[in-house]
C-alpha cells in the first residue's frame, strides 16, 4: 500500500508572465511551493524540500539581492518541510530517500535538515550546481544544496525501490538535470509530480513555456512527454506551482491517495 501526501513548503509571489511567458507582464501572482511524501513499504521518500525557513525572515540574506528583486516569499510560519512532516508524525531521520527535482532554492532549501537520508539527484543537475558558471544562466545557491549530505547521482530514468512503483523521470530543460516522479499507487492509478517541468495546467494545456528555463527546446520535449503521460496513460498530473490545483488538493495530514 503506497500513500502520497502533499506538504506545503512555502509560497512565492512573482510576475505571472515569468511562469506563463505569453502573458502581459505586470500581474503579481502568489504560487504555492509543494513537497510530496511517498509512504512506501520499504521506506519514506520525500520529493523536494521547499523553501528554507530563513528566506521568510531574512530574504536578502538567504536569497540574495537579485532573487529578491524578482520574487517575494509569502510563506507563513510553519510552511516549512520539518513542521509539515511533523503533521504526519515524522521526523527528518524517518526519511530514507530525498529526491530533488532540481536545485532551485524553492526545491532544495530544506536539504540541510536531512543528514541521514540518501539524496537522489540527476547527474547533470548536481554537476552544473557544483561548477558555477559551467552552465550559463544556472547558478543554484550553495546555501541550499552544498551541505555534507549523501548525494547519489542518477542518469535518466530510475526505479527507486526496484518494484516499479516509484520512478524518477528525466525531464530536463527547466534546468540541466530536472526530474519528475511517477508513482503507481495501485488499482491502475498513477500520479506524476511534474515539479517545474510544468508549473501549471495552463502551461501544459496551451503548450506555453515559462521565462525561467535553461534550454527551451529540451524543456518543450519534456513537457510533451509529460502531456503524453497525462493524456494517454491517464496519469494525474501534479503541477509544480499551480494555485488553482493546490487550492483543491488534499494536504497533509490528509493523503492525496
Ligand atoms: Zn519551483
Amino acid at each position: 500500500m503506497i500513500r502520497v501526501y502533499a506538504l506545503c513548503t512555502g509560497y512565492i509571489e512573482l510576475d505571472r508572465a515569468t511562469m506563463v511567458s505569453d502573458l502581459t507582464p505586470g500581474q503579481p501572482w502568489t504560487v504555492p511551493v509543494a513537497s510530496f511524501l511517498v509512504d512506501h513499504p520499504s521506506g519514506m521518500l520525500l520529493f523536494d524540500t521547499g523553501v528554507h525557513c530563513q528566506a521568510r525572515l531574512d530574504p536578502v540574506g538567504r536569497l540574495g539581492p537579485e532573487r529578491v528583486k524578482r520574487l517575494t516569499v509569502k510563506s507563513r510560519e510553519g510552511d516549512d518541510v520539518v513542521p509539515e512532516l511533523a503533521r504526519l508524525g515524522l521526523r527528518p531521520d524517518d526519511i530514507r530517500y530525498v529526491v530533488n527535482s532540481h536545485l532551485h532554492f524553492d526545491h532544495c532549501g530544506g536539504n540541510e535538515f536531512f543528514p541521514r537520508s540518501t539524496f537522489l539527484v540527476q547527474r547533470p543537475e548536481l554537476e552544473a550546481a557544483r561548477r558555477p558558471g559551467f552552465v550559463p544562466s544556472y547558478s543554484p545557491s550553495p546555501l541550499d544544496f552544498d551541505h555534507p549530505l549523501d548525494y547519489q547521482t542518477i542518469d535518466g530514468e530510475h526505479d527507486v525501490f526496484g518494484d516499479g512503483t516509484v520512478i524518477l523521470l528525466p525531464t530536463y530543460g527547466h534546468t540541466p538535470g530536472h526530474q519528475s516522479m511517477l508513482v503507481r499507487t495501485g488499482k491502475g492509478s498513477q500520479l506524476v509530480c511534474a515539479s517545474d517541468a510544468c508549473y501549471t495546467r495552463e502551461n501544459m494545456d496551451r503548450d506555453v513555456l515559462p521565462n525561467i528555463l535553461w534550454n527551451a527546446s529540451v524543456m518543450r520535449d519534456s513537457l510533451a512527454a509529460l502531456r503524453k503521460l497525462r493524456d494517454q496513460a491517464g496519469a494525474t498530473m501534479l503541477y509544480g506551482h499551480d494555485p488553482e490545483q493546490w487550492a483543491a488538493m488534499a494536504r497533509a495530514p490528509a493523503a492525496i491517495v
Side-chain angles (χ1 to χ4, degrees):
M1 176 84 167
I2 292 175
R3 289 209 169 276
V4 181
Y5 300 86
L7 313 181
C8 175
T9 49
Y11 287 94
I12 298 170
E13 184 189 86
L14 36 56
D15 190 325
R16 190 166 184 163
T18 62
M19 302 189 75
V20 183
S21 59
D22 63 354
L23 299 180
T24 312
Q27 304 174 53
W29 206 32
T30 298
V31 302
V33 178
S35 298
F36 295 94
L37 181 84
V38 180
D39 180 355
H40 183 281
S42 299
M44 301 281 176
L45 178 149
L46 179 68
F47 183 81
D48 283 342
T49 62
V51 178
H52 193 283
C53 43
Q54 191 200 345
R56 176 169 55 84
L57 304 168
D58 175 18
V60 178
R62 181 75 196 189
L63 305 176
E66 283 312 306
R67 281 191 184 86
V68 167
K69 276 185 216 158
R70 298 194 302 268
L71 56 90
T72 310
V73 174
K74 293 280 190 180
S75 312
R76 296 154 307 194
E77 193 177 345
D79 291 340
D80 305 308
V81 69
V82 176
E84 282 284 284
L85 286 172
R87 288 166 168 272
L88 294 164
L90 297 171
R91 290 161 302 137
D93 287 359
D94 296 322
I95 306 302
R96 180 173 176 192
Y97 293 112
V98 176
V99 174
N100 288 130
S101 62
H102 62 302
L103 298 174
H104 279 153
F105 79 98
D106 53 327
H107 297 265
C108 65
N111 278 15
E112 65 171 284
F113 301 118
F114 298 88
R116 289 171 188 268
S117 308
T118 297
F119 282 73
L120 302 175
V121 184
Q122 292 284 329
R123 189 180 46 78
E125 186 70 18
L126 200 60
E127 280 185 359
R130 283 178 168 165
R131 296 173 68 183
F134 178 60
V135 174
S137 82
Y138 188 56
S139 53
S141 170
L143 284 177
D144 291 320
F145 76 88
D146 197 7
H147 300 282
L149 300 168
D150 178 19
Y151 282 112
Q152 305 283 331
T153 53
I154 54 178
D155 282 284
E157 203 169 302
H158 180 70
D159 181 346
V160 179
F161 295 101
D163 62 357
T165 57
V166 181
I167 311 286
L168 304 181
L169 304 170
T171 45
Y172 301 172
H174 175 65
T175 59
H178 187 284
Q179 60 185 344
S180 304
M181 175 176 72
L182 170 78
V183 185
R184 296 196 172 95
T185 51
K187 294 171 253 144
S189 68
Q190 41 191 353
L191 286 178
V192 176
C193 298
S195 196
D196 290 0
C198 186
Y199 282 144
T200 69
R201 184 185 181 105
E202 184 177 4
N203 294 95
M204 187 171 283
D205 286 352
R206 295 205 293 108
D207 197 21
V208 183
L209 296 182
N211 278 330
I212 307 160
L213 52 74
W214 161 68
N215 184 312
S217 72
V218 175
M219 186 168 186
R220 196 170 291 286
D221 289 348
S222 295
L223 183 60
L226 287 175
R227 187 186 300 105
K228 215 169 178 178
L229 260 183
R230 183 187 72 171
D231 296 346
Q232 293 181 6
T236 300
M237 193 62 57
L238 302 174
Y239 303 99
H241 296 283
D242 188 321
E244 214 172 295
Q245 182 179 54
W246 183 244
M249 198 184 295
R251 293 179 215 168
I256 303 175
V257 287

